[in-house]
Amino acid sequence: MELFKKTLNPVAALAIIAVLDIFLFLVVGAWTVGGGETMMTGLIAKFFMGGAIDRIPFWNVAFPPDPYYWKIYISLGMVFGAFVGAVLSKEFCWRMPHRLTEWVMITIGGLLMGIGIRLAFVCNVSTFFGLTPEMNLGGYLAVSGILAGTWVGTWIYKKNLEG
Amino acid sequence: MTPLAECLTAFIFGTTVGLLVQRSRYCNVAALRDAMLFKTYRNTKAMLVAMMIMTLGFTAFITIGAGKPMYFDVGLNTFIGLFLFGLGMVLAGACTVSTWVKAGEGNIGAIWALLFTFIGMFLFSLFWSFDFWPPAPQTMTGTPNLAGLQFGFANAATLQSKTGIPAIVFGALQTLVLFGIYRAILKRERAEVPEPEAAAIESAACDAWAEAPVEPAVQGAMAARAESVQPA
């Protein structure tokens, strides 16, 4: 199939995603990502901690672990779709960062992403593809925050690229 | 809709997104970072086009009262959290979407980043409590509460109910602004970036780490681009 032979134009891909997202918005709600990860974190924590998790107010009040939370399945779908796409186009292979600085940057970056999502209640997908198109005030605040953060991050990234 | 049907819809949507993002090598981080660092806009343009379509679609349905807009309170925590997120996603080289997509492609680094995103979320959950600013529910009432640094929520639906002007009008205005940015990018691209070089950078841009060695030509172009960025 042509789709698995050459790289798709991102404008076309994102236009299709945008139309699908409008459909999703009508049925369950706009595309978000952070919520699904949070629920997965809760489910994993519950698996390891059992009833002790109820002593943490966040999992008791704000996000009681629930395997039927629809946002989880967006994330699982994304990893599945990417796997199918990669296998069919013969792009699947195990790869790993080589340098120690890369591992350190990924670790810190991952932690900051997790903390940031929960502090703000939104991630970058809900910022650009959920809140801002709904003209939510939070979208504009979040866009300015993400631009400032990316600017600082880019500066660090550039230093690393040169070094 | 039953929870099972919701989950199934979400899974089908997610699968399509994963497939399209994998095949187009779209990356949200690259959309912002490459525009700032390399002055290339392949991903930025895609993001803007998607935002324009969604703005019109969402506000059109909000006008007639359909759809499920997000409701949650907005405060300084939104700005601070997304600042940390923006910093983190550039360091990790992938945002929430591309970590999943790269994980699907067999990238161990992405799986590692995801693991630490989970750990970050869990760590934050330990600090969350009723008495604690910022996520404490008592400051989140839906109306501005400046003492709690919460600004209340406002979206196209609130604008429509408060002003009586249909939400689609505001949506059209926002789409025009986004289109203005898109046009400015097109203009700049035509004036500045020679095509073959731009294409070479684009193909390497989203995979800062954990990729096959970058071709020397691309490396040269990337280094030249990095040098041309003015120190701040």
Side-chain angles (χ1 to χ4, degrees):
Chain A
M1 237 168 96
E2 197 61 25
L3 176 65
F4 300 108
K5 278 186 190 136
K6 57 179 193 185
T7 307
L8 203 65
N9 181 356
V11 176
L14 264 282
I16 299 170
I17 292 176
V19 173
L20 289 177
D21 193 25
I22 294 170
F23 170 74
L24 197 72
F25 170 76
L26 288 173
V27 184
V28 279
W31 180 24
T32 60
V33 174
E37 272 90 345
T38 310
M39 199 54 92
M40 285 184 215
T41 309
L43 290 169
I44 296 167
K46 194 174 183 178
F47 178 77
F48 284 113
M49 293 165 65
I53 197 176
D54 291 338
R55 296 218 305 272
I56 305 171
F58 185 83
W59 305 111
N60 201 4
V61 180
F63 261 88
D66 170 19
Y68 283 106
Y69 189 61
W70 58 275
K71 289 174 186 172
I72 297 175
Y73 299 93
I74 295 186
S75 300
L76 294 180
M78 285 195 296
V79 71
F80 174 69
F83 177 73
V84 170
V87 167
L88 290 180
S89 55
K90 298 188 177 62
E91 281 173 6
F92 185 91
C93 70
W94 295 106
R95 32 197 140 188
M96 217 188 273
H98 302 295
R99 288 183 296 147
L100 182 68
T101 48
E102 283 173 326
W103 282 104
V104 173
M105 290 219 308
I106 296 170
T107 309
I108 298 173
L111 279 174
L112 284 176
M113 282 202 282
I115 295 168
I117 288 177
R118 284 308 5 126
L119 184 63
F121 285 96
V122 287
C123 72
N124 63 334
V125 174
S126 16
T127 299
F128 288 111
F129 302 144
L131 290 178
T132 312
E134 285 167 16
M135 305 194 73
N136 191 309
L137 171 67
Y140 305 121
L141 269 178
V143 166
S144 36
I146 211 166
L147 286 177
T150 315
W151 193 79
V152 175
T154 303
W155 185 79
I156 299 171
Y157 177 81
K158 198 184 127 200
K159 288 274 165 224
N160 191 53
L161 198 76
E162 286 164 353
Chain B
M1 247 183 146
T2 63
L4 194 67
E6 285 182 351
C7 294
L8 205 64
T9 316
F11 186 77
I12 294 167
F13 174 79
T15 307
T16 324
V17 168
L19 192 68
L20 288 171
V21 170
Q22 199 277 331
R23 292 312 305 136
S24 66
R25 314 234 119 259
Y26 172 77
C27 176
N28 235 326
V29 182
L32 302 174
R33 183 195 61 202
D34 293 358
M36 290 181 188
L37 190 59
F38 304 119
K39 308 273 182 265
T40 58
Y41 303 97
R42 173 185 189 263
N43 293 287
T44 321
K45 283 186 290 185
M47 178 194 263
L48 284 169
V49 167
M51 283 174 80
M52 283 188 258
I53 297 173
M54 285 179 198
T55 303
L56 284 178
F58 288 172
T59 51
F61 283 114
I62 287 173
T63 307
I64 56 167
K68 296 192 167 79
M70 283 184 248
Y71 288 105
F72 63 86
D73 251 16
V74 171
L76 276 187
N77 61 310
T78 314
F79 180 85
I80 300 166
L82 262 292
F83 176 83
L84 293 177
F85 185 91
L87 183 57
M89 73 176 190
V90 177
L91 292 185
C95 71
T96 35
V97 175
S98 32
T99 40
W100 284 112
V101 171
K102 285 179 178 181
E105 288 180 330
N107 195 316
I108 308 284
I111 296 170
W112 187 259
L114 267 177
L115 182 71
F116 277 87
T117 307
F118 287 176
I119 293 175
M121 285 173 169
F122 186 75
L123 287 179
F124 187 80
S125 77
L126 296 176
F127 291 101
W128 191 94
S129 86
F130 270 120
D131 315 316
F132 226 66
W133 184 86
Q138 71 222 30
T139 62
M140 301 178 62
T141 50
T143 46
N145 172 0
L146 293 180
L149 289 176
Q150 299 289 333
F151 304 133
F153 50 70
N155 59 20
T158 356
L159 287 175
Q160 178 172 315
S161 66
K162 288 225 167 102
T163 62
I165 302 167
I168 183 78
V169 176
F170 298 105
L173 279 176
Q174 176 165 296
T175 309
L176 274 180
V177 172
L178 292 169
F179 185 68
I181 303 171
Y182 182 76
R183 278 241 336 232
I185 288 176
L186 285 187
K187 219 171 172 180
R188 200 173 167 154
E189 265 186 340
R190 255 180 252 127
E192 277 184 11
V193 183
E195 280 305 316
E197 190 192 359
I201 294 172
E202 277 157 11
S203 63
C206 201
D207 307 295
W209 38 268
E211 278 300 313
V214 182
E215 292 164 41
V218 181
Q219 241 166 4
M222 280 176 88
R225 242 338 121 67
E227 273 165 26
S228 73
V229 176
Q230 293 297 316

